[in-house]
Amino acid sequence: MARVYNFSAGPAVLPEEVLQEAAQEMLDYRGTGMSVMEMSHRSAAFKGIIEEAEADLRTIMSIPDNYKVLFLQGGATQQFAAIPMNLLKTGKADYIVSGGWSKKAYKEAKKYGQINLVASSEDQNFTYVPNVDELELSPDADYVYICENETVYGNKFHKLPQTGDVPLVADVSSCFLSEPIDVTKYGLIYGGVQKNVGPAGVVIVIVREDLIREDLPEYVPTIMQYKTQADAGSMSNTPPCYGIYICGKVFKWILAQGGLEGMQKRNQEKAAVLYDYLDSTDFYQAPVRKEDRSIMNVPFVTGDADLDAEFVKGAKAKGIENIKGHRSVGGMRASIYNAMPIEGVKALVEYMKEFEASHR
């Protein structure tokens, strides 16, 4: 069977080259006589895999030496609790809510301290990002939290809030490694890898060393303490070995594509194909304010739920999969992550044109 164009928001499309390499090594990883799925995380072979993956990620993102890179389990959602548990000192933090994921993170953090909602775009169903120049931030907050790219609603912070000496914490799950990033502007960056980087089961946390504390409340589980994992090189317990192995291969692929500058160019070109068409027609509507649009997740609707359902059904027949929008938005959503080829986006737009012509 031919491969489809997979527009899933996550787990999502991976580079074919990576899948082919992994398939070739499935039964015998580099002469070990075993699969990475089978080998001990304490083995020399896996030690080489995780160390090389971290080194390549540091190269790709220009991660300074005073930041730790942690390959963890529990997904990005576990970090909704781990972040306040590890970072709250005064007990105060500021949250900017721009979509469903930051809203969930805010709700979870409220269990652990005085969490201030400094801005929200829920009043217009998260179709925009709050103005970061108009925020009233708390000077004594332990951190300021954002979800940089909201997967469900398709909006993106194209400008970061200026937080001064207060660390900025960002969930970058759905824009991870999609464009150049200045790591020094953040105290902590984290993301589930199942959108742009690898298979589900790994979350990568990049945290500045001065934020890794020993004096945590007793209720913080040992396994969720950043110090525990940093001291153990992400191997305090058995890490998600195979997922890390695939991440490492994706890092190699990104480097071969020209690094983050190459990814940005590729992603901007794909997004332009789709947004240019959406802006040229009144048959479909893209709900997010233009200046806040994501180049990773593109929601659109016809305005008729039955028509949207027919669109999704017809797309599947064309080999266009997972185009249905999230239940909280409806309509359709095209997730055009790093590994989605431009041919896939062009095929989607051609189908959109055909559908419009036959249903207008």
Side-chain angles (χ1 to χ4, degrees):
M1 180 180 175
R3 280 179 61 79
V4 299
Y5 290 121
N6 177 14
F7 289 92
S8 173
V13 61
L14 284 164
E16 282 196 28
E17 299 96 312
V18 167
L19 296 175
Q20 288 166 355
E21 281 184 22
Q24 290 167 4
E25 294 176 344
M26 178 57 76
L27 296 179
D28 180 9
Y29 175 73
R30 298 186 183 178
T32 61
M34 67 185 91
S35 171
V36 175
M37 284 189 183
E38 305 170 295
M39 66 177 53
S40 167
H41 63 295
R42 303 296 181 191
S43 67
F46 185 73
K47 186 170 184 286
I49 288 170
I50 194 170
E51 288 179 353
E52 192 169 339
E54 178 177 339
D56 284 341
L57 183 60
R58 285 185 177 276
T59 297
I60 291 167
M61 297 180 71
S62 299
I63 299 173
D65 291 342
N66 65 323
Y67 284 75
K68 291 289 188 182
V69 175
L70 309 177
F71 294 92
L72 307 177
Q73 302 183 61
T77 304
Q78 189 176 89
Q79 296 304 309
F80 296 171
I83 286 165
M85 283 181 179
N86 279 272
L87 300 191
L88 286 177
K89 289 182 181 179
T90 68
K92 297 179 183 178
D94 288 343
Y95 275 61
I96 302 168
V97 172
S98 57
W101 293 115
S102 48
K103 184 179 178 180
K104 286 184 177 182
Y106 166 67
K107 183 179 179 181
E108 185 69 21
K110 287 172 70 177
K111 297 177 181 179
Y112 304 103
Q114 181 184 326
I115 309 301
N116 307 310
L117 178 62
V118 295
S120 172
S121 54
E122 191 169 12
D123 61 329
Q124 294 184 32
N125 200 34
F126 302 121
T127 54
Y128 70 98
V129 168
N131 186 343
V132 297
D133 295 325
E134 297 178 352
L135 302 174
E136 292 187 15
L137 299 174
S138 312
D140 58 345
D142 292 318
Y143 62 91
V144 176
Y145 183 100
I146 63 171
C147 178
E148 198 159 319
N149 188 96
E150 282 282 359
T151 319
V152 171
Y153 294 89
N155 65 50
K156 169 79 162 65
F157 280 84
H158 294 291
K159 181 181 180 181
L160 297 176
Q162 299 300 305
T163 61
D165 293 332
V166 178
L168 177 64
V169 172
D171 175 353
V172 298
S173 295
S174 52
C175 59
F176 209 2
L177 304 184
S178 65
E179 61 186 9
I181 183 172
D182 182 355
V183 175
T184 65
K185 291 184 177 179
Y186 306 81
L188 184 151
I189 308 166
Y190 77 97
V193 306
Q194 69 274 16
K195 302 171 187 298
N196 247 350
V197 186
V202 184
V203 58
I204 296 174
V205 175
I206 303 165
V207 56
R208 208 171 64 212
E209 286 181 344
D210 64 291
L211 298 178
I212 299 174
R213 299 163 46 207
E214 291 187 62
D215 59 330
L216 295 177
E218 286 190 7
Y219 66 77
V220 181
T222 303
I223 200 65
M224 289 176 66
Q225 296 177 19
Y226 294 143
K227 182 168 176 52
T228 299
Q229 296 289 5
D231 288 351
S234 301
M235 289 197 280
S236 174
N237 63 322
T238 307
C241 298
Y242 197 79
I244 294 168
Y245 158 75
I246 298 292
C247 289
K249 289 198 174 296
V250 173
F251 299 155
K252 296 285 188 193
W253 177 81
I254 289 172
L255 287 166
Q257 303 297 314
L260 297 188
E261 289 77 10
M263 286 295 101
Q264 182 179 48
K265 182 174 183 291
R266 174 189 177 103
N267 291 327
Q268 287 175 339
E269 287 173 354
K270 288 185 296 186
V273 170
L274 183 48
Y275 281 125
D276 285 352
Y277 173 63
L278 284 170
D279 290 339
S280 73
T281 176
D282 60 1
F283 185 79
Y284 306 99
Q285 298 83 48
V288 176
R289 189 168 64 179
K290 283 188 178 181
E291 57 265 39
D292 297 327
R293 286 173 171 174
S294 166
I295 64 170
M296 294 281 96
N297 310 101
V298 184
F300 59 96
V301 299
T302 65
D304 181 320
D306 291 336
L307 207 56
D308 289 347
E310 187 177 341
F311 179 98
V312 172
K313 184 178 179 181
K316 189 176 182 70
K318 295 275 189 180
I320 295 169
E321 290 279 357
N322 296 310
I323 198 71
K324 184 178 180 180
H326 191 273
R327 60 187 177 274
S328 60
V329 179
M332 286 70 69
R333 173 181 52 177
S335 292
I336 49 178
Y337 298 127
N338 285 352
M340 170 60 67
I342 195 166
E343 291 79 14
V345 182
K346 289 178 178 177
L348 171 61
V349 169
E350 283 307 306
Y351 169 62
M352 292 170 72
K353 289 177 179 177
E354 290 174 16
F355 189 86
E356 176 180 354
S358 61
H359 291 81
R360 182 174 279 282

